[in-house]
Amino acid sequence: MSSITANTKTPESKCDVLIVGAGPAGLMLATWMARCGINARIVDKRGTKIYAGQADGLQIRSLEIFDSFGFCDRAWKEANHMIEMCMWNPDSDGVIRRSDRVPDVPIGMSRFQQIVLHQGRIERFFLDHIKKHSKNSIQVERGVLPESLSVDEKLMGDHSTSSYPIKVKIRHLTEEEAIPAQSNGSSVSDGLFRSNLAEDDTDDLIRKGQSKAGTDEILKAKYMVGCDGAHSWTRRQLGFELHGEPTDFIWGVLDIIPITDFPDIRMRCAVHSAENGSLMVIPRENKLVRLYIQLKEIKPDASGRADRSQIKPDNIIKAAQKIIAPYNLTYEYCDWWTAYQIGQRVGTNFDYNSRVFLAGDAVHTHSPKAGQGMNVSMQDAYNLGWKLSLVVKGLAKPEILKTYQSERRRIAQDLIDFDHKFSRLFSGRPAIDVLDEAGVSMAEFKQAFVKGNMFASGLSVDYGASMLVAKAGDATEQGDGTDVSSTSKSRIIGTQDLAANIKMGMRFPSFKVLNQADARPWHLQEKLRSDGRFRIVLFAGNVLAAPQKERLDVFCEKMVASAFVQPRLYKDIAVLTVHSAKRTEVELLRDFPDVLHPFDERTGWDYNSVYVDDESYHEGHGQAYEGYGVDKEHGCVVVTRPDQYVGFVGPLDGGEGWTGVESYFEGIFV
Amino acid sequence: MSSITANTKTPESKCDVLIVGAGPAGLMLATWMARCGINARIVDKRGTKIYAGQADGLQIRSLEIFDSFGFCDRAWKEANHMIEMCMWNPDSDGVIRRSDRVPDVPIGMSRFQQIVLHQGRIERFFLDHIKKHSKNSIQVERGVLPESLSVDEKLMGDHSTSSYPIKVKIRHLTEEEAIPAQSNGSSVSDGLFRSNLAEDDTDDLIRKGQSKAGTDEILKAKYMVGCDGAHSWTRRQLGFELHGEPTDFIWGVLDIIPITDFPDIRMRCAVHSAENGSLMVIPRENKLVRLYIQLKEIKPDASGRADRSQIKPDNIIKAAQKIIAPYNLTYEYCDWWTAYQIGQRVGTNFDYNSRVFLAGDAVHTHSPKAGQGMNVSMQDAYNLGWKLSLVVKGLAKPEILKTYQSERRRIAQDLIDFDHKFSRLFSGRPAIDVLDEAGVSMAEFKQAFVKGNMFASGLSVDYGASMLVAKAGDATEQGDGTDVSSTSKSRIIGTQDLAANIKMGMRFPSFKVLNQADARPWHLQEKLRSDGRFRIVLFAGNVLAAPQKERLDVFCEKMVASAFVQPRLYKDIAVLTVHSAKRTEVELLRDFPDVLHPFDERTGWDYNSVYVDDESYHEGHGQAYEGYGVDKEHGCVVVTRPDQYVGFVGPLDGGEGWTGVESYFEGIFV
C-alpha cells in the first residue's frame, strides 16, 4: 500500500464504509448499508451501468435473498424461467440426439426456481431499492477511481465509532475517461473489454486521470470493501493474490435471437458434439438465447492467453453451427457477445485485519456456464453486509467480522472445485464407448450435473461453527482455517435434533404457515426479512395443552426478564412464533404472552408475529412442523441470523433453551 | 343539451374519445385507449388525485382484469388479503359472540382472492400503466370541467373516421377552484364532500370558473364517456335519470388503526348487535381497518336526506363502541372518514345513440359494504373500452356498441337487487328467536352472504346472446332489453357441450398449462392479455392420434385459406393452442401447423402460443381439459373476446367448427 500525501487543496471527507465497485456484489453491499442506515459510499470506475450482456442466471438462493429485501417479484416477472435441462449427445453415428431431460433445479427445495435475466436489470432493482431505503443518501458515484490506499496500523484495532483508519485518494474521472472502448466499431455491444482475455485498464485510467487537475478527494473510512472484479485494484493494494491456473479451453458467448429448427432452443441444453466441441443453450427473456460455444480452433499462445483479435461473432456462430448440425442455426439480431478462457482461481485472503474486505470476482473467478459468478458474488456481500453494519453501529463485537472470510472463502474453494470438475466434463470430448477412457462419459456428465444442481442452487451452503453458528465440531476445520471460535466464556452448542431440517449453518427453509390473526398463508421465510435483525423463531407447539403453554410462558418470562436480551427485542432481535394448535381454537391475545405480539400505544397490538401450521382455504396445508422436523406437541426455539442462516436450535424451555438463546446473543452483541 | 357558441378566440381541438372523470371507471377506459393506441383525452374536475379513503375492495374479477393488463402484481403485493369472514351475533343474553366463519370468497374459482387497498393506490397503478402504454400521450387533465355539450344529430349515424359529432366546451380551472373544501378544518381527510349526503358542486365550479377569462377550449370528439360519478354532469346533459329510492339507513365509515381486544379485528366481520345496529370490519393495509358503522340515532329529515353536520368521527366511533361491546375499541390514528345513506339507483340509459356512454356511479349507486362500487364501475369501462377502440379504428361494426348497455345495464340491475337484499339483511335488527319475524334471521343472513359471495366476486357475470356471444336464447331477454341480435345474415349458435365449463357469455376460467417449448407453467388466462385482440383458443386434443392431427390440420388450412379471417390473424385475432398429448412426445415445429406458431424473419418461430395440459415439475398438474370440460381426444375450438368473455364454442373441424368461427367474426368485423 502506498502512503497518501495530499496537497492542502484536496478536499477530505469521511464515511463509515467505502465500497469500491458497483457490480452485483458492490450493490448488494450497498443494499445492506441502505437497509441498516449506514453512512456508506459506493464508487465505480465505469461511467455508466451496463445495458446488455454480462451475467444472467439467478439461482434459487439469490432469489430468496432478493425476496428478503422485497424485490424478487420484479426479477421473477421479467425473467425467463428455466424449467428443464436437456442433454444432447452423439449417437452411434455421431449425430447429436437428445439423450436426457432433467429438471433444471432440485424439486421441492424452494418456492423459487432458476431464472435468467440480464445483469443490467438486476442492477436496476438494486439501485431502486438502495435509493428508496437510503432516502437517496447512497448513490453510486460513477466514473470515480481509487488512486491510492493507506491503512493506519495504529488505529486498526480500535473499532470505536470515532476511528477512521482507512484513507483512500479517489479521482473523479471525466465522462470520456470513464467509458471503456468497445473492442470493435460495431453497434453490437461486446464484453471483451471486461473478459478475462483482456488486460485490466485501471492503471491506464489512473494515468489518464492524473493528467487532469483538481478532481481528487481524500476519503477516510472505517471499513472498505473491494468489489472491484477479477482485476481488483483493492486486492492489489493489499498485496493479496488469486491462486489457480487457466486452462486451454476458450469459449465464446453470443446473446442472439436464434433462427433455428433445433427443437430445444427454449430449454437449457448441454450439447456435446462428437468432434466439434460443446455448446450450452441458455434461453433468455425477450426471445433472446445465450449460447456458450466452445472455440476448439482457438488456442492460447505462449503467454498462456488467447489472442482476442481472432474472436468475432462470425467465427463464434460458425463454431456453434458445427456443433449443433444437422440442425440449422442463424440469427439476424445479436444483442451482445464476448469470449473467455476457462480457469479457476481463488483469493488467498478475503479480509485485511477486519478492515478491508474483498468480495465477488475479486476473490474467485471461474467459468460462467454454471451461472455461479454473479450469484456467489452477491452472496459474499450478503454475508458481509449485516455483520459490518452491526459492528459500525457498535452493536456487535468486531470479532464477528472474521466469520466473513471463514464462511465465504470456504464456499469459494468449494465453488472452484465444482467448476473445475464441471468445466472439464463440459469441455471434454464425449466418450465413444465404455472403453474410451480419454472421453467424457455421458452418464458421468449427467450424474455430475444432477449432483451439481444442489450446489449450484446455493441451497447447500453450510457455514461452519463460529460465534454465529452454535453447532458442534471444529470451527477452524469447518471454515477456511480462520479462527472464529466463540468469543463468550463458554461455547454454546445447539440441539440439532429438535429441528431436524432446520440445520444450524444452513439457510432457514420455507414452508407455508397462516397468520393467526387473519388466516393469510405466507411462506415462513417471507417473514425473515433482511432488515438487519436476528430472529428468535418460537415453534410454540400445541399451545392448547396446559404443560406446553406453561413452557411457553416460562420461556417468554425469561425473555422479558433478561437484562441482556430484553433491551434488544424488536430493535435488534425480532420474535416470530409458529404454533401447531388449530387456528380456530386459539386466540392471539388470549393464548400468547404479550412479548410475542407487542402493544404500541398508537397502533395497538402487533398482528404480524404469530403464525400457525394449519390448513388454508386456498393454498393447501403447509405441514410446516413436519417439513421442519419439529415435534408438534413440544416445539423448539430457533435463532436465525440477519441473513436467514440458522445460528442456534434449542428446546423451548426456561432452562437449557433460554440459556442457550441468551448465551448465543452474549457471544455476538457488545 | 345546450348548443355551444364559442367566440372566435376559443381554441378548438379534436380527439376520438373524450372521457369525463378520472376515477376508477374513467381510468380503466383510458387504459384501454392507451393499450389500443386510440387518440383519447381524459379530464377530471378535481385538481388532484385522491390520497386516502374512498373505495378499497378489489374483487376477484377486477384482479383478473388487472392481471390481463399486467399490473395485478402491484395490487396483490401492497394490499391486505381478506381470507375469512366472521359473523358475530347476540347470544341468548344479548352479548355478541362469533357464530360462524366462512371463506371470504368462493374456493377454487380463481387464482386470486379478494384484497383491500385504498383507491388512491389503484388509481396510481392505472396512471402508471396509461403513461407507459400511451407513451405519455394520454394524461389525466385535472382541474378541467366540461361546461356544455352538443351532439350533431346529422353526423350521429356516420361512424366513418372523419366524423366528429360531439362538441364539448371545457374550462381549465385554477388550482384553487379545483380543490374541494373539506367539511371540517381537521387534518384528517374526510369524504363527506363526495358522499351521497352532499350536494354536487359541479354547478358551483362552473359558475366560479365562468368569472375567469380565457381558459376555455372547444373539444370535438367522435365518442364520449361520462365516468363522472353519481352526480354525473354528462348524464344530466343527456337528460337521463337514475331510478330508485334512498332508505332511512345512515352509515358512518372510519378508516382507523384500531386499538381493541376484539379478537377478529384482522378478519372481515359482520357484527349484528342486539339493539345498537350493525358494524362491518374490513381489515386494510398498513394496520388500518375500515369500519362501516350503522348510525341508528341519525335519521333523514323531511327532505329524505340526513343532516351532515350531525356526523363527526366522535359520534361514529361511539356508535361502534356500543355495537362491539363488551369489547373495547378506540383509536389514536384516523386516516379518513365519511358517511352515507343507503339507497339503490340504476340509470335509465347507459348509451346515447352509441355516441355518448355512461359508466360507473353515473349509472348505478348503492351501498358500499359489499365492495362492489369500484369493481362494477371498472368492469363497465372494461366492457366498453375495447368495443369503442375497435369501432374507432374502423375495424368492427358500430352495432357492437349497443352490447355495452345490453350487457352492463343488466349487471347493474342485478347489482341493485343484490344490494337491496343484502343491505336490508345487514341493517336490520337480528331476530330474537324463530318467532321474531320482524328481525333478521342469522341463518338467512349467512345463506345470503355465501350466495352473494359468488355474485360479489364478479365471476358469475353471464352476458346474454348477441353478435358477440353466440349462445342460444332471446338476445333481448338475456340483456337489458336492448336489441343486440346478430348483424350477420344467419345467426351463429355455438355448441356449449363441447366445453362444459367454458360458458359462452362468461369469462374464460383458468387452469394451469405448460408452454410446449420450455415447460414453464402458466395460468391459461394469463395468456389472454388485454391487448385488444380476439382469440381463437384451439383445444387441439391428442395431436399424436392421426385422425385428430388430421382434423387439426384441416382446421388450420381453413384458417389460412379464409379471405376474411387470415388477414386479421395475429393483428386483431390471436391464436392460442392447448393440446393434451404428453409434452415430451410432441415437438412444436414437427407436430403443429405453422399458423399456430408463426415464423418471423428477424425473430424466428413464435414459442409462446402452444401449450400442453401436462404435469409440471414444481407446480403440479393443472388438469386443464378436465377443468374446462373438454374432451381430451377431440378437443374443441373456443373464441374469446378481447375482454376474456367467451364468444363461441364449436367443434375443432373444417366444417361446422371453422364455419362457426368465421361466421362469428363476420358478424363483428367490418
PDB file of all heavy atoms in Angstrom, chain A residues 70 73 77 81 84 287 333 583 603 605 617, chain B residues 70 73 77 84 287 333 520 583 602-603 605 617:
ATOM      1  N   GLY A  70     -37.346  -7.682  -0.677  1.00  0.00           N
ATOM      2  CA  GLY A  70     -38.654  -7.254  -1.184  1.00  0.00           C
ATOM      3  C   GLY A  70     -38.695  -6.944  -2.662  1.00  0.00           C
ATOM      4  O   GLY A  70     -39.677  -6.368  -3.141  1.00  0.00           O
ATOM      5  N   ASP A  73     -39.966 -10.084  -6.732  1.00  0.00           N
ATOM      6  CA  ASP A  73     -41.085 -10.122  -7.675  1.00  0.00           C
ATOM      7  C   ASP A  73     -40.746  -9.450  -9.002  1.00  0.00           C
ATOM      8  O   ASP A  73     -41.213  -9.865 -10.055  1.00  0.00           O
ATOM      9  CB  ASP A  73     -42.337  -9.494  -7.049  1.00  0.00           C
ATOM     10  CG  ASP A  73     -42.083  -8.101  -6.501  1.00  0.00           C
ATOM     11  OD1 ASP A  73     -40.987  -7.847  -5.956  1.00  0.00           O
ATOM     12  OD2 ASP A  73     -42.977  -7.252  -6.611  1.00  0.00           O
ATOM     13  N   LYS A  77     -40.892 -11.641 -12.463  1.00  0.00           N
ATOM     14  CA  LYS A  77     -41.841 -11.251 -13.513  1.00  0.00           C
ATOM     15  C   LYS A  77     -41.149 -11.028 -14.851  1.00  0.00           C
ATOM     16  O   LYS A  77     -41.655 -11.413 -15.895  1.00  0.00           O
ATOM     17  CB  LYS A  77     -42.562  -9.967 -13.072  1.00  0.00           C
ATOM     18  CG  LYS A  77     -43.661  -9.504 -14.020  1.00  0.00           C
ATOM     19  CD  LYS A  77     -44.365  -8.282 -13.456  1.00  0.00           C
ATOM     20  CE  LYS A  77     -45.488  -7.814 -14.377  1.00  0.00           C
ATOM     21  NZ  LYS A  77     -46.226  -6.675 -13.808  1.00  0.00           N
ATOM     22  N   HIS A  81     -37.926 -18.139 -17.189  1.00  0.00           N
ATOM     23  CA  HIS A  81     -37.819 -19.190 -16.189  1.00  0.00           C
ATOM     24  C   HIS A  81     -37.268 -20.445 -16.857  1.00  0.00           C
ATOM     25  O   HIS A  81     -37.809 -20.886 -17.864  1.00  0.00           O
ATOM     26  CB  HIS A  81     -39.188 -19.490 -15.585  1.00  0.00           C
ATOM     27  CG  HIS A  81     -39.731 -18.360 -14.780  1.00  0.00           C
ATOM     28  ND1 HIS A  81     -40.508 -18.534 -13.668  1.00  0.00           N
ATOM     29  CD2 HIS A  81     -39.598 -17.015 -14.908  1.00  0.00           C
ATOM     30  CE1 HIS A  81     -40.833 -17.355 -13.157  1.00  0.00           C
ATOM     31  NE2 HIS A  81     -40.295 -16.417 -13.900  1.00  0.00           N
ATOM     32  N   GLU A  84     -36.364 -26.934 -17.472  1.00  0.00           N
ATOM     33  CA  GLU A  84     -35.852 -28.259 -17.814  1.00  0.00           C
ATOM     34  C   GLU A  84     -34.483 -28.133 -18.463  1.00  0.00           C
ATOM     35  O   GLU A  84     -34.228 -27.178 -19.192  1.00  0.00           O
ATOM     36  CB  GLU A  84     -36.819 -28.934 -18.788  1.00  0.00           C
ATOM     37  CG  GLU A  84     -36.588 -30.418 -18.992  1.00  0.00           C
ATOM     38  CD  GLU A  84     -37.717 -31.054 -19.807  1.00  0.00           C
ATOM     39  OE1 GLU A  84     -37.762 -30.832 -21.025  1.00  0.00           O
ATOM     40  OE2 GLU A  84     -38.557 -31.733 -19.205  1.00  0.00           O
ATOM     41  N   LYS A 287     -37.139 -13.303 -26.148  1.00  0.00           N
ATOM     42  CA  LYS A 287     -36.745 -14.192 -27.249  1.00  0.00           C
ATOM     43  C   LYS A 287     -35.238 -14.373 -27.375  1.00  0.00           C
ATOM     44  O   LYS A 287     -34.781 -15.095 -28.253  1.00  0.00           O
ATOM     45  CB  LYS A 287     -37.327 -13.732 -28.595  1.00  0.00           C
ATOM     46  CG  LYS A 287     -38.856 -13.787 -28.658  1.00  0.00           C
ATOM     47  CD  LYS A 287     -39.382 -13.722 -30.085  1.00  0.00           C
ATOM     48  CE  LYS A 287     -39.639 -15.102 -30.665  1.00  0.00           C
ATOM     49  NZ  LYS A 287     -40.228 -15.078 -31.999  1.00  0.00           N
ATOM     50  N   TYR A 333     -30.434 -10.862 -35.237  1.00  0.00           N
ATOM     51  CA  TYR A 333     -30.191  -9.889 -34.177  1.00  0.00           C
ATOM     52  C   TYR A 333     -29.229 -10.448 -33.134  1.00  0.00           C
ATOM     53  O   TYR A 333     -29.472 -11.515 -32.563  1.00  0.00           O
ATOM     54  CB  TYR A 333     -31.515  -9.512 -33.486  1.00  0.00           C
ATOM     55  CG  TYR A 333     -31.304  -8.590 -32.315  1.00  0.00           C
ATOM     56  CD1 TYR A 333     -30.989  -7.245 -32.522  1.00  0.00           C
ATOM     57  CD2 TYR A 333     -31.381  -9.054 -31.006  1.00  0.00           C
ATOM     58  CE1 TYR A 333     -30.760  -6.396 -31.443  1.00  0.00           C
ATOM     59  CE2 TYR A 333     -31.166  -8.208 -29.931  1.00  0.00           C
ATOM     60  CZ  TYR A 333     -30.845  -6.880 -30.162  1.00  0.00           C
ATOM     61  OH  TYR A 333     -30.621  -6.047 -29.097  1.00  0.00           O
ATOM     62  N   ARG A 583     -55.993 -23.365  14.291  1.00  0.00           N
ATOM     63  CA  ARG A 583     -56.100 -21.902  14.243  1.00  0.00           C
ATOM     64  C   ARG A 583     -57.369 -21.391  14.905  1.00  0.00           C
ATOM     65  O   ARG A 583     -57.344 -20.438  15.684  1.00  0.00           O
ATOM     66  CB  ARG A 583     -56.070 -21.418  12.787  1.00  0.00           C
ATOM     67  CG  ARG A 583     -56.316 -19.916  12.640  1.00  0.00           C
ATOM     68  CD  ARG A 583     -56.242 -19.454  11.200  1.00  0.00           C
ATOM     69  NE  ARG A 583     -57.275 -20.014  10.362  1.00  0.00           N
ATOM     70  CZ  ARG A 583     -58.513 -19.519  10.228  1.00  0.00           C
ATOM     71  NH1 ARG A 583     -58.877 -18.455  10.900  1.00  0.00           N
ATOM     72  NH2 ARG A 583     -59.389 -20.097   9.447  1.00  0.00           N
ATOM     73  N   THR A 603     -50.625   2.277  17.748  1.00  0.00           N
ATOM     74  CA  THR A 603     -51.096   1.353  16.707  1.00  0.00           C
ATOM     75  C   THR A 603     -51.602   0.022  17.249  1.00  0.00           C
ATOM     76  O   THR A 603     -51.841  -0.910  16.487  1.00  0.00           O
ATOM     77  CB  THR A 603     -49.963   1.078  15.679  1.00  0.00           C
ATOM     78  OG1 THR A 603     -48.887   0.416  16.352  1.00  0.00           O
ATOM     79  CG2 THR A 603     -49.445   2.360  15.056  1.00  0.00           C
ATOM     80  N   TRP A 605     -52.066  -3.654  19.111  1.00  0.00           N
ATOM     81  CA  TRP A 605     -51.308  -4.905  19.135  1.00  0.00           C
ATOM     82  C   TRP A 605     -50.649  -5.144  17.776  1.00  0.00           C
ATOM     83  O   TRP A 605     -51.119  -4.688  16.742  1.00  0.00           O
ATOM     84  CB  TRP A 605     -52.238  -6.073  19.455  1.00  0.00           C
ATOM     85  CG  TRP A 605     -52.898  -5.943  20.787  1.00  0.00           C
ATOM     86  CD1 TRP A 605     -54.184  -5.550  21.015  1.00  0.00           C
ATOM     87  CD2 TRP A 605     -52.318  -6.169  22.072  1.00  0.00           C
ATOM     88  NE1 TRP A 605     -54.445  -5.521  22.365  1.00  0.00           N
ATOM     89  CE2 TRP A 605     -53.317  -5.900  23.041  1.00  0.00           C
ATOM     90  CE3 TRP A 605     -51.060  -6.571  22.508  1.00  0.00           C
ATOM     91  CZ2 TRP A 605     -53.090  -6.023  24.414  1.00  0.00           C
ATOM     92  CZ3 TRP A 605     -50.830  -6.706  23.865  1.00  0.00           C
ATOM     93  CH2 TRP A 605     -51.832  -6.428  24.808  1.00  0.00           C
ATOM     94  N   TYR A 617     -57.542 -21.935   3.231  1.00  0.00           N
ATOM     95  CA  TYR A 617     -58.704 -22.124   2.353  1.00  0.00           C
ATOM     96  C   TYR A 617     -58.292 -22.373   0.903  1.00  0.00           C
ATOM     97  O   TYR A 617     -58.906 -23.149   0.197  1.00  0.00           O
ATOM     98  CB  TYR A 617     -59.616 -20.892   2.393  1.00  0.00           C
ATOM     99  CG  TYR A 617     -60.436 -20.750   3.653  1.00  0.00           C
ATOM    100  CD1 TYR A 617     -60.253 -19.668   4.504  1.00  0.00           C
ATOM    101  CD2 TYR A 617     -61.404 -21.694   3.987  1.00  0.00           C
ATOM    102  CE1 TYR A 617     -61.017 -19.514   5.656  1.00  0.00           C
ATOM    103  CE2 TYR A 617     -62.167 -21.561   5.136  1.00  0.00           C
ATOM    104  CZ  TYR A 617     -61.980 -20.469   5.966  1.00  0.00           C
ATOM    105  OH  TYR A 617     -62.738 -20.332   7.097  1.00  0.00           O
TER     106      TYR A 617
ATOM    107  N   GLY B  70     -51.473  -6.525 -16.801  1.00  0.00           N
ATOM    108  CA  GLY B  70     -50.102  -6.739 -16.352  1.00  0.00           C
ATOM    109  C   GLY B  70     -49.729  -6.001 -15.076  1.00  0.00           C
ATOM    110  O   GLY B  70     -48.554  -5.931 -14.738  1.00  0.00           O
ATOM    111  N   ASP B  73     -49.948  -7.655 -10.039  1.00  0.00           N
ATOM    112  CA  ASP B  73     -48.932  -7.963  -9.025  1.00  0.00           C
ATOM    113  C   ASP B  73     -48.701  -6.801  -8.067  1.00  0.00           C
ATOM    114  O   ASP B  73     -48.440  -6.999  -6.894  1.00  0.00           O
ATOM    115  CB  ASP B  73     -47.622  -8.387  -9.696  1.00  0.00           C
ATOM    116  CG  ASP B  73     -47.129  -7.384 -10.727  1.00  0.00           C
ATOM    117  OD1 ASP B  73     -47.966  -6.763 -11.424  1.00  0.00           O
ATOM    118  OD2 ASP B  73     -45.911  -7.206 -10.849  1.00  0.00           O
ATOM    119  N   LYS B  77     -49.398  -7.316  -4.075  1.00  0.00           N
ATOM    120  CA  LYS B  77     -48.283  -7.182  -3.127  1.00  0.00           C
ATOM    121  C   LYS B  77     -48.593  -6.161  -2.029  1.00  0.00           C
ATOM    122  O   LYS B  77     -48.272  -6.375  -0.874  1.00  0.00           O
ATOM    123  CB  LYS B  77     -47.038  -6.758  -3.902  1.00  0.00           C
ATOM    124  CG  LYS B  77     -45.757  -6.685  -3.070  1.00  0.00           C
ATOM    125  CD  LYS B  77     -44.552  -6.351  -3.942  1.00  0.00           C
ATOM    126  CE  LYS B  77     -43.275  -6.295  -3.132  1.00  0.00           C
ATOM    127  NZ  LYS B  77     -42.102  -5.999  -3.977  1.00  0.00           N
ATOM    128  N   GLU B  84     -61.005 -14.671   5.471  1.00  0.00           N
ATOM    129  CA  GLU B  84     -62.118 -15.278   6.201  1.00  0.00           C
ATOM    130  C   GLU B  84     -63.104 -14.200   6.610  1.00  0.00           C
ATOM    131  O   GLU B  84     -62.715 -13.085   6.926  1.00  0.00           O
ATOM    132  CB  GLU B  84     -61.571 -15.994   7.445  1.00  0.00           C
ATOM    133  CG  GLU B  84     -62.567 -16.883   8.144  1.00  0.00           C
ATOM    134  CD  GLU B  84     -61.884 -17.730   9.231  1.00  0.00           C
ATOM    135  OE1 GLU B  84     -61.594 -17.174  10.315  1.00  0.00           O
ATOM    136  OE2 GLU B  84     -61.638 -18.913   8.979  1.00  0.00           O
ATOM    137  N   LYS B 287     -51.925  -1.746   8.813  1.00  0.00           N
ATOM    138  CA  LYS B 287     -52.610  -1.822  10.105  1.00  0.00           C
ATOM    139  C   LYS B 287     -53.951  -1.082  10.132  1.00  0.00           C
ATOM    140  O   LYS B 287     -54.630  -1.077  11.163  1.00  0.00           O
ATOM    141  CB  LYS B 287     -51.727  -1.309  11.271  1.00  0.00           C
ATOM    142  CG  LYS B 287     -50.466  -2.133  11.493  1.00  0.00           C
ATOM    143  CD  LYS B 287     -49.864  -1.882  12.874  1.00  0.00           C
ATOM    144  CE  LYS B 287     -50.367  -2.856  13.913  1.00  0.00           C
ATOM    145  NZ  LYS B 287     -49.701  -2.714  15.219  1.00  0.00           N
ATOM    146  N   TYR B 333     -55.134   6.994  15.677  1.00  0.00           N
ATOM    147  CA  TYR B 333     -54.915   7.495  14.324  1.00  0.00           C
ATOM    148  C   TYR B 333     -56.131   7.224  13.446  1.00  0.00           C
ATOM    149  O   TYR B 333     -56.600   6.093  13.320  1.00  0.00           O
ATOM    150  CB  TYR B 333     -53.694   6.808  13.698  1.00  0.00           C
ATOM    151  CG  TYR B 333     -53.485   7.224  12.266  1.00  0.00           C
ATOM    152  CD1 TYR B 333     -52.991   8.495  11.953  1.00  0.00           C
ATOM    153  CD2 TYR B 333     -53.818   6.360  11.222  1.00  0.00           C
ATOM    154  CE1 TYR B 333     -52.837   8.885  10.640  1.00  0.00           C
ATOM    155  CE2 TYR B 333     -53.659   6.756   9.900  1.00  0.00           C
ATOM    156  CZ  TYR B 333     -53.169   8.015   9.611  1.00  0.00           C
ATOM    157  OH  TYR B 333     -53.027   8.411   8.306  1.00  0.00           O
ATOM    158  N   ARG B 520     -42.632 -24.254 -19.022  1.00  0.00           N
ATOM    159  CA  ARG B 520     -42.999 -23.368 -17.907  1.00  0.00           C
ATOM    160  C   ARG B 520     -44.514 -23.371 -17.682  1.00  0.00           C
ATOM    161  O   ARG B 520     -45.292 -23.220 -18.613  1.00  0.00           O
ATOM    162  CB  ARG B 520     -42.549 -21.944 -18.215  1.00  0.00           C
ATOM    163  CG  ARG B 520     -42.945 -20.968 -17.116  1.00  0.00           C
ATOM    164  CD  ARG B 520     -42.340 -19.608 -17.309  1.00  0.00           C
ATOM    165  NE  ARG B 520     -42.822 -18.686 -16.300  1.00  0.00           N
ATOM    166  CZ  ARG B 520     -42.536 -17.393 -16.270  1.00  0.00           C
ATOM    167  NH1 ARG B 520     -41.755 -16.879 -17.198  1.00  0.00           N
ATOM    168  NH2 ARG B 520     -43.012 -16.622 -15.325  1.00  0.00           N
ATOM    169  N   ARG B 583     -46.253 -33.876 -23.163  1.00  0.00           N
ATOM    170  CA  ARG B 583     -45.359 -32.819 -23.623  1.00  0.00           C
ATOM    171  C   ARG B 583     -44.102 -33.360 -24.278  1.00  0.00           C
ATOM    172  O   ARG B 583     -43.702 -32.888 -25.345  1.00  0.00           O
ATOM    173  CB  ARG B 583     -44.954 -31.914 -22.446  1.00  0.00           C
ATOM    174  CG  ARG B 583     -43.921 -30.857 -22.817  1.00  0.00           C
ATOM    175  CD  ARG B 583     -43.572 -29.961 -21.642  1.00  0.00           C
ATOM    176  NE  ARG B 583     -42.918 -30.664 -20.553  1.00  0.00           N
ATOM    177  CZ  ARG B 583     -41.606 -30.934 -20.492  1.00  0.00           C
ATOM    178  NH1 ARG B 583     -40.811 -30.559 -21.466  1.00  0.00           N
ATOM    179  NH2 ARG B 583     -41.104 -31.572 -19.444  1.00  0.00           N
ATOM    180  N   ARG B 602     -36.977 -11.969 -38.665  1.00  0.00           N
ATOM    181  CA  ARG B 602     -35.961 -11.425 -37.771  1.00  0.00           C
ATOM    182  C   ARG B 602     -35.870 -12.184 -36.444  1.00  0.00           C
ATOM    183  O   ARG B 602     -34.812 -12.292 -35.859  1.00  0.00           O
ATOM    184  CB  ARG B 602     -36.283  -9.944 -37.508  1.00  0.00           C
ATOM    185  CG  ARG B 602     -35.173  -9.185 -36.809  1.00  0.00           C
ATOM    186  CD  ARG B 602     -35.425  -7.692 -36.852  1.00  0.00           C
ATOM    187  NE  ARG B 602     -34.704  -7.021 -35.780  1.00  0.00           N
ATOM    188  CZ  ARG B 602     -33.408  -6.751 -35.777  1.00  0.00           C
ATOM    189  NH1 ARG B 602     -32.663  -7.077 -36.807  1.00  0.00           N
ATOM    190  NH2 ARG B 602     -32.836  -6.150 -34.745  1.00  0.00           N
ATOM    191  N   THR B 603     -37.010 -12.715 -36.001  1.00  0.00           N
ATOM    192  CA  THR B 603     -37.014 -13.300 -34.651  1.00  0.00           C
ATOM    193  C   THR B 603     -37.379 -14.780 -34.641  1.00  0.00           C
ATOM    194  O   THR B 603     -37.612 -15.345 -33.569  1.00  0.00           O
ATOM    195  CB  THR B 603     -37.981 -12.525 -33.734  1.00  0.00           C
ATOM    196  OG1 THR B 603     -39.311 -12.679 -34.252  1.00  0.00           O
ATOM    197  CG2 THR B 603     -37.642 -11.051 -33.676  1.00  0.00           C
ATOM    198  N   TRP B 605     -39.234 -18.467 -35.031  1.00  0.00           N
ATOM    199  CA  TRP B 605     -40.543 -19.006 -34.689  1.00  0.00           C
ATOM    200  C   TRP B 605     -41.071 -18.362 -33.415  1.00  0.00           C
ATOM    201  O   TRP B 605     -40.301 -17.927 -32.576  1.00  0.00           O
ATOM    202  CB  TRP B 605     -40.450 -20.522 -34.482  1.00  0.00           C
ATOM    203  CG  TRP B 605     -39.968 -21.257 -35.695  1.00  0.00           C
ATOM    204  CD1 TRP B 605     -38.714 -21.735 -35.922  1.00  0.00           C
ATOM    205  CD2 TRP B 605     -40.728 -21.567 -36.861  1.00  0.00           C
ATOM    206  NE1 TRP B 605     -38.646 -22.327 -37.150  1.00  0.00           N
ATOM    207  CE2 TRP B 605     -39.869 -22.248 -37.761  1.00  0.00           C
ATOM    208  CE3 TRP B 605     -42.061 -21.354 -37.251  1.00  0.00           C
ATOM    209  CZ2 TRP B 605     -40.278 -22.701 -39.003  1.00  0.00           C
ATOM    210  CZ3 TRP B 605     -42.478 -21.814 -38.487  1.00  0.00           C
ATOM    211  CH2 TRP B 605     -41.600 -22.475 -39.360  1.00  0.00           C
ATOM    212  N   TYR B 617     -42.971 -29.764 -13.230  1.00  0.00           N
ATOM    213  CA  TYR B 617     -42.017 -30.235 -12.221  1.00  0.00           C
ATOM    214  C   TYR B 617     -42.329 -29.683 -10.833  1.00  0.00           C
ATOM    215  O   TYR B 617     -42.146 -30.361  -9.829  1.00  0.00           O
ATOM    216  CB  TYR B 617     -40.592 -29.805 -12.594  1.00  0.00           C
ATOM    217  CG  TYR B 617     -39.965 -30.597 -13.726  1.00  0.00           C
ATOM    218  CD1 TYR B 617     -39.591 -29.968 -14.906  1.00  0.00           C
ATOM    219  CD2 TYR B 617     -39.727 -31.958 -13.597  1.00  0.00           C
ATOM    220  CE1 TYR B 617     -39.000 -30.686 -15.945  1.00  0.00           C
ATOM    221  CE2 TYR B 617     -39.136 -32.682 -14.628  1.00  0.00           C
ATOM    222  CZ  TYR B 617     -38.774 -32.041 -15.798  1.00  0.00           C
ATOM    223  OH  TYR B 617     -38.195 -32.751 -16.805  1.00  0.00           O
TER     224      TYR B 617
END
